[in-house]
Amino acid sequence: AGARHAAQKRPYAPPVTAVGDGAALACQALDMLRLPPEHRRMQRASGVGLAAMAAMARGEAPDGAIPHYLRLSQAERERLRRENGKG
């Protein structure tokens, strides 16, 4: 449901590259997503920097490298669990 909701907002024009451990599943559900090679599916902070550098080299503002998460991070989920007295 979260992936479908995120796709309805469509903050970016397709194609959108899906990364992370759920990328393959998301790509099966949403045809606007593209799946990178397996060795590039897990995002790294350095990738954001490289994307920003490439944008700047083209004379563009590097503001397009903003992550859009479909779910809360594990740290955020654990914090909420503690705050709600469930862990």
Side-chain angles (χ1 to χ4, degrees):
R4 292 188 193 284
H5 179 68
Q8 289 172 355
K9 292 181 183 179
R10 294 195 188 253
Y12 298 102
V16 174
T17 302
V19 296
D21 57 355
L25 183 61
C27 286
Q28 290 175 1
L30 301 169
D31 60 355
M32 68 176 277
L33 298 177
R34 66 181 179 184
L35 190 63
E38 186 145 355
H39 69 281
R40 294 193 170 191
R41 286 188 198 160
M42 299 308 284
Q43 63 271 34
R44 298 185 320 207
S46 62
V48 176
L50 291 171
M53 286 176 52
M56 290 172 57
R58 294 188 304 270
E60 301 171 3
D63 57 359
I66 300 171
H68 290 276
Y69 298 102
L70 300 179
R71 67 179 187 161
L72 295 175
S73 70
Q74 181 178 355
E76 291 170 310
R77 291 191 311 268
E78 289 176 5
R79 179 184 54 84
L80 288 172
R81 204 173 301 130
R82 281 192 310 272
E83 289 175 357
N84 293 326
K86 296 181 180 177

XYZ file of all heavy atoms in Angstrom:
647
model
N 0.829 -1.192 0.000
C 0.000 0.000 0.000
C 0.870 1.250 0.000
O 0.559 2.212 -0.646
C -0.931 0.001 1.194
N 1.995 1.247 0.747
C 2.868 2.404 0.816
C 3.472 2.747 -0.529
O 3.573 3.911 -0.903
N 3.918 1.732 -1.273
C 4.523 1.978 -2.577
C 3.498 2.561 -3.540
O 3.806 3.464 -4.309
C 5.118 0.688 -3.141
N 2.289 2.057 -3.500
C 1.247 2.595 -4.380
C 0.935 4.046 -4.009
O 0.748 4.881 -4.869
C -0.002 1.741 -4.327
C 0.199 0.374 -4.937
C -1.123 -0.382 -5.050
N -0.896 -1.764 -5.342
C -0.544 -2.235 -6.536
N -0.364 -1.418 -7.536
N -0.349 -3.527 -6.718
N 0.883 4.347 -2.712
C 0.623 5.710 -2.272
C 1.736 6.645 -2.731
O 1.477 7.732 -3.230
C 0.482 5.753 -0.746
C 0.244 7.126 -0.217
N -0.921 7.804 -0.453
C 1.037 7.953 0.501
C -0.848 9.000 0.109
N 0.336 9.109 0.691
N 2.979 6.220 -2.586
C 4.113 7.035 -3.010
C 4.065 7.281 -4.513
O 4.381 8.366 -4.983
C 5.423 6.367 -2.612
N 3.664 6.279 -5.280
C 3.601 6.415 -6.729
C 2.503 7.388 -7.142
O 2.636 8.083 -8.137
C 3.379 5.049 -7.376
N 1.423 7.471 -6.374
C 0.332 8.375 -6.712
C 0.763 9.831 -6.615
O 0.287 10.667 -7.348
C -0.863 8.117 -5.797
C -1.553 6.803 -6.090
C -2.621 6.463 -5.065
O -2.795 7.151 -4.080
N -3.325 5.376 -5.305
N 1.671 10.143 -5.704
C 2.150 11.518 -5.562
C 2.988 11.932 -6.760
O 2.985 13.089 -7.143
C 2.986 11.661 -4.286
C 2.181 11.510 -3.032
C 3.095 11.688 -1.833
C 2.350 11.462 -0.554
N 3.224 11.610 0.610
N 3.751 10.997 -7.316
C 4.598 11.204 -8.495
C 5.403 12.498 -8.430
O 5.223 13.398 -9.243
C 3.786 11.153 -9.760
C 3.209 9.775 -9.985
C 2.709 9.623 -11.393
N 2.009 8.374 -11.506
C 2.488 7.323 -12.139
N 3.642 7.376 -12.732
N 1.808 6.208 -12.205
N 6.316 12.584 -7.461
C 7.120 13.802 -7.365
C 8.136 13.935 -8.489
O 8.655 15.012 -8.706
C 7.816 13.660 -6.010
C 7.890 12.186 -5.784
C 6.653 11.623 -6.437
N 8.409 12.855 -9.193
C 9.376 12.868 -10.287
C 8.782 12.163 -11.488
O 7.957 11.277 -11.363
C 10.676 12.164 -9.877
C 11.352 12.849 -8.721
C 11.257 12.341 -7.439
C 12.063 14.014 -8.920
C 11.866 12.986 -6.375
C 12.673 14.668 -7.867
C 12.570 14.143 -6.600
O 13.162 14.785 -5.560
N 9.274 12.552 -12.635
C 8.811 11.908 -13.858
C 9.532 10.578 -14.037
O 10.712 10.464 -13.730
C 9.092 12.813 -15.047
N 8.841 9.549 -14.532
C 9.483 8.260 -14.800
C 10.564 8.430 -15.851
O 10.492 9.345 -16.654
C 8.345 7.403 -15.334
C 7.091 8.071 -14.875
C 7.423 9.546 -14.783
N 11.580 7.607 -15.907
C 11.762 6.465 -15.011
C 12.401 6.881 -13.688
O 13.184 7.819 -13.638
C 12.703 5.548 -15.782
C 13.540 6.481 -16.587
C 12.628 7.641 -16.940
N 12.030 6.191 -12.659
C 12.595 6.392 -11.329
C 13.350 5.122 -10.971
O 12.834 4.016 -11.165
C 11.484 6.665 -10.290
C 12.047 6.734 -8.889
C 10.738 7.949 -10.641
N 14.562 5.255 -10.492
C 15.376 4.099 -10.135
C 15.053 3.657 -8.715
O 15.094 4.464 -7.793
C 16.872 4.425 -10.249
O 17.139 4.835 -11.587
C 17.719 3.217 -9.906
N 14.716 2.409 -8.549
C 14.425 1.839 -7.232
C 15.693 1.213 -6.676
O 16.395 0.489 -7.378
C 13.331 0.782 -7.332
N 16.005 1.522 -5.421
C 17.172 0.946 -4.765
C 16.757 0.416 -3.404
O 15.697 0.744 -2.891
C 18.328 1.963 -4.614
C 18.852 2.398 -5.967
C 17.899 3.165 -3.803
N 17.618 -0.411 -2.815
C 17.345 -0.958 -1.498
C 16.888 -2.398 -1.569
O 16.760 -2.991 -2.645
N 16.614 -2.956 -0.388
C 16.281 -4.376 -0.338
C 14.914 -4.697 -0.915
O 14.626 -5.835 -1.235
C 16.419 -4.923 1.089
C 15.573 -4.169 2.105
O 14.942 -3.162 1.747
O 15.558 -4.599 3.266
N 14.061 -3.719 -1.102
C 12.743 -3.959 -1.680
C 12.620 -3.518 -3.125
O 11.521 -3.483 -3.674
N 13.741 -3.184 -3.761
C 13.707 -2.644 -5.115
C 13.080 -3.603 -6.119
O 12.246 -3.204 -6.922
C 15.114 -2.263 -5.569
N 13.464 -4.860 -6.084
C 12.934 -5.821 -7.060
C 11.428 -5.981 -6.902
O 10.685 -6.000 -7.892
C 13.639 -7.165 -6.908
N 10.951 -6.062 -5.676
C 9.516 -6.197 -5.418
C 8.767 -4.944 -5.871
O 7.715 -5.038 -6.505
C 9.277 -6.453 -3.932
C 7.831 -6.677 -3.511
C 7.253 -7.907 -4.199
C 7.755 -6.835 -2.004
N 9.320 -3.771 -5.591
C 8.683 -2.522 -5.998
C 8.595 -2.429 -7.519
O 7.580 -1.982 -8.067
C 9.443 -1.330 -5.434
N 9.636 -2.864 -8.205
C 9.646 -2.814 -9.667
C 8.611 -3.747 -10.275
O 8.086 -3.478 -11.350
C 11.036 -3.123 -10.206
S 12.180 -1.757 -9.974
N 8.310 -4.839 -9.595
C 7.264 -5.744 -10.077
C 5.890 -5.092 -9.957
O 5.012 -5.322 -10.780
C 7.277 -7.050 -9.290
C 8.464 -7.919 -9.580
C 8.497 -9.161 -8.692
O 7.627 -9.385 -7.875
N 9.540 -9.957 -8.859
N 5.719 -4.249 -8.944
C 4.418 -3.635 -8.689
C 4.201 -2.340 -9.470
O 3.066 -1.988 -9.777
C 4.256 -3.372 -7.194
N 5.262 -1.640 -9.784
C 5.143 -0.322 -10.410
C 5.977 -0.255 -11.678
O 7.200 -0.322 -11.621
C 5.610 0.769 -9.438
C 4.850 0.845 -8.113
C 5.567 1.760 -7.147
C 3.433 1.319 -8.355
N 5.319 -0.071 -12.807
C 6.056 -0.055 -14.072
C 6.839 1.230 -14.294
O 7.659 1.311 -15.187
C 5.128 -0.323 -15.251
C 4.014 0.705 -15.381
O 3.883 1.590 -14.508
O 3.263 0.621 -16.372
N 6.633 2.272 -13.476
C 7.395 3.516 -13.626
C 8.808 3.394 -13.064
O 9.629 4.266 -13.271
C 6.675 4.682 -12.948
C 6.633 4.573 -11.431
S 5.888 5.983 -10.625
C 7.269 7.088 -10.562
N 9.086 2.298 -12.343
C 10.392 2.117 -11.722
C 11.320 1.319 -12.616
O 10.887 0.447 -13.358
C 10.243 1.377 -10.385
C 9.417 2.070 -9.317
C 9.303 1.179 -8.087
C 10.011 3.414 -8.952
N 12.591 1.632 -12.515
C 13.594 0.818 -13.204
C 14.497 0.201 -12.143
O 14.715 0.783 -11.077
C 14.377 1.621 -14.217
C 15.240 2.681 -13.611
C 15.975 3.452 -14.684
N 16.779 4.479 -14.035
C 17.476 5.372 -14.674
N 17.485 5.380 -15.983
N 18.178 6.262 -14.021
N 15.000 -0.947 -12.436
C 15.818 -1.699 -11.492
C 17.277 -1.637 -11.927
O 17.616 -2.078 -13.025
C 15.334 -3.151 -11.447
C 15.909 -4.043 -10.365
C 15.533 -3.523 -8.980
C 15.379 -5.459 -10.531
N 18.157 -1.112 -11.086
C 19.571 -1.071 -11.451
C 20.198 -2.462 -11.344
O 19.595 -3.373 -10.763
C 20.177 -0.117 -10.415
C 19.287 -0.219 -9.240
C 17.915 -0.512 -9.772
N 21.409 -2.642 -11.865
C 22.087 -3.923 -11.706
C 22.219 -4.275 -10.226
O 22.288 -3.387 -9.373
C 23.467 -3.688 -12.327
C 23.328 -2.483 -13.168
C 22.222 -1.667 -12.588
N 22.257 -5.538 -9.923
C 22.263 -5.991 -8.528
C 23.376 -5.348 -7.697
O 23.168 -4.992 -6.542
C 22.364 -7.507 -8.457
C 22.235 -8.008 -7.048
C 21.511 -9.331 -6.958
O 21.025 -9.837 -7.966
O 21.456 -9.840 -5.841
N 24.541 -5.167 -8.277
C 25.656 -4.604 -7.508
C 25.457 -3.114 -7.189
O 26.233 -2.540 -6.442
C 26.987 -4.832 -8.240
C 27.137 -4.035 -9.499
N 26.538 -4.411 -10.682
C 27.802 -2.898 -9.754
C 26.833 -3.530 -11.616
N 27.605 -2.603 -11.079
N 24.405 -2.517 -7.729
C 24.130 -1.102 -7.457
C 22.783 -0.873 -6.773
O 22.335 0.261 -6.668
C 24.174 -0.311 -8.746
C 25.551 -0.288 -9.334
C 25.627 0.719 -10.391
N 27.034 0.881 -10.760
C 27.449 1.842 -11.508
N 26.627 2.735 -11.969
N 28.723 1.936 -11.802
N 22.154 -1.911 -6.287
C 20.822 -1.761 -5.687
C 20.827 -1.232 -4.273
O 19.850 -0.648 -3.837
C 20.081 -3.093 -5.709
C 19.623 -3.430 -7.085
C 18.744 -4.624 -7.116
N 18.715 -5.116 -8.482
C 18.380 -6.304 -8.836
N 18.034 -7.189 -7.916
N 18.386 -6.664 -10.092
N 21.897 -1.466 -3.557
C 21.948 -0.983 -2.183
C 22.591 0.402 -2.189
O 23.732 0.573 -2.597
C 22.717 -1.947 -1.285
C 22.076 -3.334 -1.230
S 20.314 -3.348 -0.822
C 20.384 -3.034 0.922
N 21.833 1.399 -1.772
C 22.307 2.775 -1.839
C 23.421 3.047 -0.831
O 23.510 2.401 0.197
C 21.145 3.756 -1.641
C 20.487 3.666 -0.282
C 19.355 2.689 -0.199
O 19.376 1.655 -0.846
N 18.372 2.979 0.611
N 24.246 4.011 -1.185
C 25.332 4.450 -0.314
C 25.346 5.970 -0.346
O 24.974 6.590 -1.341
C 26.678 3.928 -0.816
C 26.794 2.437 -0.849
C 28.178 1.988 -1.237
N 28.773 2.808 -2.301
C 29.663 2.383 -3.146
N 30.090 1.153 -3.075
N 30.167 3.173 -4.061
N 25.822 6.548 0.730
C 25.889 8.009 0.803
C 26.768 8.583 -0.301
O 26.489 9.664 -0.835
C 26.389 8.435 2.170
N 27.814 7.864 -0.671
C 28.700 8.372 -1.719
C 27.968 8.524 -3.050
O 28.315 9.396 -3.851
C 29.904 7.453 -1.894
O 29.487 6.154 -2.299
N 26.960 7.713 -3.276
C 26.186 7.821 -4.512
C 25.443 9.143 -4.617
O 25.311 9.713 -5.704
N 24.963 9.663 -3.493
C 24.291 10.963 -3.491
C 25.292 12.049 -3.867
O 24.994 12.936 -4.675
C 23.657 11.252 -2.113
C 23.051 12.639 -2.070
C 22.608 10.204 -1.790
N 26.483 11.961 -3.300
C 27.520 12.932 -3.641
C 27.911 12.875 -5.104
O 28.081 13.913 -5.753
N 28.040 11.670 -5.641
C 28.390 11.526 -7.057
C 27.290 12.073 -7.958
O 27.567 12.722 -8.965
C 28.667 10.055 -7.381
C 29.941 9.485 -6.759
C 29.998 7.971 -6.957
C 31.172 10.159 -7.341
N 26.038 11.844 -7.595
C 24.918 12.367 -8.385
C 24.908 13.895 -8.331
O 24.656 14.565 -9.342
C 23.602 11.809 -7.866
N 25.186 14.464 -7.163
C 25.235 15.919 -7.034
C 26.370 16.492 -7.867
O 26.204 17.524 -8.529
C 25.391 16.303 -5.565
N 27.531 15.840 -7.843
C 28.668 16.314 -8.632
C 28.356 16.270 -10.126
O 28.695 17.201 -10.865
C 29.909 15.476 -8.328
C 30.521 15.794 -6.974
S 31.931 14.727 -6.536
C 32.986 14.853 -7.954
N 27.695 15.211 -10.569
C 27.337 15.096 -11.985
C 26.353 16.197 -12.381
O 26.476 16.793 -13.460
C 26.754 13.718 -12.264
N 25.382 16.485 -11.514
C 24.426 17.552 -11.803
C 25.133 18.893 -11.894
O 24.864 19.691 -12.801
C 23.338 17.586 -10.731
N 26.037 19.151 -10.972
C 26.771 20.420 -10.983
C 27.647 20.542 -12.225
O 27.767 21.628 -12.802
C 27.593 20.543 -9.706
C 26.714 20.745 -8.477
S 27.593 20.665 -6.902
C 28.814 21.928 -7.089
N 28.223 19.437 -12.667
C 29.052 19.458 -13.876
C 28.223 19.807 -15.109
O 28.736 20.378 -16.069
C 29.745 18.113 -14.064
N 26.925 19.451 -15.075
C 26.016 19.802 -16.180
C 25.438 21.194 -16.011
O 24.616 21.634 -16.802
C 24.874 18.788 -16.258
C 25.279 17.393 -16.636
C 24.058 16.496 -16.888
N 23.136 16.447 -15.765
C 23.186 15.566 -14.748
N 24.142 14.647 -14.739
N 22.298 15.600 -13.791
N 25.841 21.907 -14.938
C 25.327 23.249 -14.692
C 23.958 23.260 -14.035
O 23.263 24.273 -14.051
N 23.557 22.141 -13.447
C 22.254 22.026 -12.790
C 22.422 22.107 -11.279
O 23.488 21.803 -10.748
C 21.599 20.683 -13.135
C 21.387 20.464 -14.614
C 20.948 19.045 -14.924
O 20.746 18.245 -13.989
O 20.824 18.727 -16.109
N 21.364 22.501 -10.611
C 21.375 22.494 -9.146
C 21.310 21.045 -8.678
O 20.557 20.246 -9.242
C 20.190 23.268 -8.604
N 22.079 20.683 -7.670
C 22.086 19.279 -7.209
C 20.959 18.956 -6.231
O 21.111 18.164 -5.333
C 23.449 19.174 -6.530
C 23.680 20.534 -5.987
C 23.093 21.476 -7.014
N 19.788 19.552 -6.430
C 18.699 19.345 -5.485
C 17.822 18.144 -5.819
O 16.878 17.857 -5.110
C 17.840 20.597 -5.366
C 17.271 21.053 -6.693
O 17.551 20.405 -7.721
O 16.554 22.068 -6.703
N 18.131 17.412 -6.857
C 17.321 16.258 -7.229
C 17.712 14.972 -6.523
O 17.052 13.954 -6.672
N 18.764 15.005 -5.742
C 19.236 13.792 -5.065
C 18.642 13.710 -3.663
O 19.337 13.559 -2.679
C 20.756 13.780 -5.011
N 17.346 13.802 -3.595
C 16.645 13.747 -2.311
C 15.990 12.370 -2.195
O 15.213 11.987 -3.069
C 15.583 14.847 -2.224
C 16.246 16.217 -2.362
C 14.802 14.749 -0.917
C 15.272 17.354 -2.516
N 16.306 11.627 -1.140
C 15.699 10.300 -1.004
C 14.209 10.383 -0.655
O 13.776 11.287 0.061
C 16.487 9.659 0.142
C 16.983 10.809 0.940
C 17.209 11.932 -0.030
N 13.447 9.478 -1.189
C 12.026 9.349 -0.867
C 11.818 7.935 -0.352
O 11.870 6.970 -1.117
C 11.154 9.613 -2.097
C 11.174 11.044 -2.491
N 10.361 11.982 -1.915
C 11.948 11.708 -3.368
C 10.617 13.164 -2.439
N 11.577 13.021 -3.326
N 11.619 7.825 0.932
C 11.517 6.523 1.571
C 10.069 6.047 1.578
O 9.153 6.828 1.836
C 12.052 6.584 3.005
C 13.514 6.954 3.056
C 13.915 8.237 3.380
C 14.488 6.015 2.747
C 15.249 8.578 3.408
C 15.827 6.348 2.773
C 16.203 7.636 3.110
O 17.524 7.964 3.131
N 9.876 4.772 1.316
C 8.544 4.190 1.343
C 8.146 3.744 2.742
O 6.979 3.522 3.006
C 8.473 3.000 0.380
C 8.764 3.341 -1.075
C 8.693 2.088 -1.930
C 7.806 4.393 -1.592
N 9.113 3.609 3.617
C 8.829 3.236 5.003
C 9.864 3.888 5.903
O 10.894 4.358 5.451
C 8.824 1.727 5.188
C 10.173 1.098 4.992
C 10.127 -0.385 5.215
N 11.477 -0.914 5.167
C 11.833 -2.049 5.658
N 10.950 -2.807 6.259
N 13.063 -2.468 5.579
N 9.563 3.914 7.196
C 10.491 4.476 8.159
C 11.745 3.616 8.251
O 11.685 2.405 8.039
C 9.837 4.553 9.543
C 8.649 5.488 9.692
C 8.049 5.348 11.086
C 9.060 6.926 9.435
N 12.861 4.238 8.603
C 14.088 3.482 8.795
C 13.955 2.598 10.034
O 13.083 2.815 10.877
C 15.271 4.433 8.977
O 15.173 5.100 10.228
N 14.820 1.621 10.135
C 14.786 0.731 11.298
C 14.969 1.523 12.589
O 14.280 1.275 13.574
C 15.867 -0.339 11.186
C 15.855 -1.300 12.364
C 16.904 -2.388 12.226
O 17.592 -2.492 11.221
N 17.018 -3.206 13.245
N 15.862 2.491 12.600
C 16.087 3.302 13.801
C 14.825 4.064 14.186
O 14.471 4.146 15.372
C 17.244 4.263 13.576
N 14.117 4.608 13.191
C 12.883 5.332 13.484
C 11.790 4.391 13.994
O 11.050 4.736 14.921
C 12.401 6.071 12.241
C 13.296 7.223 11.848
C 12.942 7.797 10.492
O 12.818 7.018 9.518
O 12.791 9.020 10.414
N 11.698 3.201 13.400
C 10.690 2.229 13.861
C 10.971 1.804 15.291
O 10.058 1.695 16.115
C 10.658 1.012 12.930
C 10.097 1.318 11.550
C 9.828 0.066 10.722
N 10.920 -0.876 10.675
C 11.872 -0.909 9.764
N 11.883 -0.001 8.797
N 12.801 -1.826 9.782
N 12.250 1.566 15.617
C 12.610 1.160 16.979
C 12.340 2.276 17.982
O 11.857 2.027 19.080
C 14.070 0.725 17.032
C 14.309 -0.593 16.327
C 15.771 -0.994 16.273
O 16.612 -0.281 16.872
O 16.068 -2.014 15.638
N 12.618 3.514 17.597
C 12.341 4.644 18.481
C 10.848 4.757 18.762
O 10.425 4.913 19.902
C 12.849 5.945 17.874
C 12.561 7.166 18.758
C 12.979 8.459 18.090
N 12.411 8.653 16.768
C 11.195 9.157 16.527
N 10.401 9.491 17.518
N 10.780 9.309 15.286
N 10.034 4.637 17.729
C 8.587 4.694 17.910
C 8.089 3.550 18.784
O 7.193 3.735 19.618
C 7.871 4.679 16.553
C 7.993 5.951 15.739
C 7.407 5.744 14.347
C 7.318 7.108 16.446
N 8.668 2.370 18.592
C 8.284 1.213 19.400
C 8.579 1.481 20.876
O 7.760 1.203 21.746
C 9.028 -0.026 18.900
C 8.337 -1.331 19.222
C 9.007 -2.531 18.568
N 9.032 -2.394 17.119
C 10.118 -2.561 16.353
N 11.264 -2.891 16.893
N 10.066 -2.426 15.062
N 9.755 2.046 21.149
C 10.123 2.378 22.541
C 9.194 3.451 23.104
O 8.734 3.357 24.247
C 11.564 2.876 22.614
C 12.595 1.780 22.571
C 13.987 2.304 22.935
N 14.377 3.515 22.197
C 14.980 3.515 21.012
N 15.273 2.372 20.409
N 15.304 4.645 20.429
N 8.920 4.473 22.313
C 8.055 5.565 22.773
C 6.629 5.093 23.046
O 5.958 5.626 23.909
C 8.029 6.695 21.761
C 9.331 7.465 21.688
C 9.325 8.497 20.591
O 8.331 8.595 19.828
O 10.333 9.237 20.479
N 6.192 4.107 22.301
C 4.834 3.590 22.479
C 4.772 2.462 23.503
O 3.724 1.842 23.683
C 4.253 3.116 21.144
C 4.021 4.277 20.198
O 3.675 5.377 20.622
N 4.224 4.051 18.921
N 5.912 2.160 24.142
C 5.952 1.129 25.167
C 5.836 -0.278 24.653
O 5.398 -1.181 25.366
N 6.256 -0.515 23.414
C 6.154 -1.857 22.826
C 7.531 -2.473 22.628
O 7.722 -3.257 21.731
C 5.410 -1.799 21.498
C 3.983 -1.360 21.643
C 3.292 -1.344 20.295
C 1.852 -0.909 20.446
N 1.185 -0.821 19.156
N 8.483 -2.112 23.404
C 9.782 -2.724 23.194
C 10.765 -2.171 24.122
O 11.836 -2.237 24.313
